[in-house]
Amino acid sequence: MLITELGYFALLTAFVLALLQVILPTIGVIRNQVAWQRLAPSLAWAQFAAMITSFGALIAGFYYNDFLSLEATDSAIEALSRAYRLSPDNEEIATTYAQISFFANKVSLMPVAAVYYKMSLPKIHSMKVRRC
């Protein structure tokens, strides 16, 4: 079941509706178009419905433990560890590898600290101290 994806989509929809709720009535006031000004309450109710849908879907996803992205962590960690071994100087790969291993190891800080230590140690030694 893709309950959490429905929740994220509803949240994105609420965000777009919030932007429209600000922009369209403002343009209606500037151009003196009453029909655009009257869109504000309808957009507010639509935004409220999208937020309630998002909240309900995300709570249901949490209750049913429907976070499918956590199932792909083993293969993602393996792929990122290979990529990190091939190019250890790439900060984006190292950061992504550290974040995924952080959450995959049930928020254990040891693998993350080791990756950041390996990544930042050469930079620290190569820095020059500037004195003012």
Side-chain angles (χ1 to χ4, degrees), residues 13-75:
T13 303
F15 176 70
V16 170
L17 287 170
L19 290 176
L20 290 175
Q21 184 182 2
V22 170
I23 294 170
L24 292 180
T26 304
I27 293 174
V29 169
I30 292 170
R31 293 184 179 177
N32 199 16
Q33 294 181 355
V34 179
W36 285 27
Q37 296 173 24
R38 291 186 181 166
L39 285 174
S42 301
L43 288 170
W45 280 108
Q47 180 185 358
F48 176 72
M51 287 294 296
I52 292 297
T53 303
S54 173
F55 181 75
L58 291 173
I59 291 297
F62 179 75
Y63 178 75
Y64 293 118
N65 200 12
D66 185 40
F67 294 97
L68 296 176
S69 61
L70 296 179
E71 294 176 4
T73 55
D74 294 333
S75 61

Side-chain angles (χ1 to χ4, degrees), residues 84-101:
Y84 179 70
R85 280 182 259 153
L86 290 174
S87 60
D89 295 332
N90 191 339
E91 290 183 22
E92 184 178 351
I93 292 174
T95 305
T96 307
Y97 174 62
Q99 290 171 349
I100 289 180
S101 63

Side-chain angles (χ1 to χ4, degrees), residues 72-121:
T73 55
D74 294 333
S75 61
I77 288 175
E78 183 64 31
L80 282 170
S81 68
R82 285 187 198 139
Y84 179 70
R85 280 182 259 153
L86 290 174
S87 60
D89 295 332
N90 191 339
E91 290 183 22
E92 184 178 351
I93 292 174
T95 305
T96 307
Y97 174 62
Q99 290 171 349
I100 289 180
S101 63
F102 178 75
F103 289 113
N105 292 322
K106 297 186 170 125
V107 192
S108 170
L109 196 56
M110 292 304 283
V112 176
V115 168
Y116 278 119
Y117 178 74
K118 288 178 185 176
M119 184 176 74
S120 62
L121 191 60

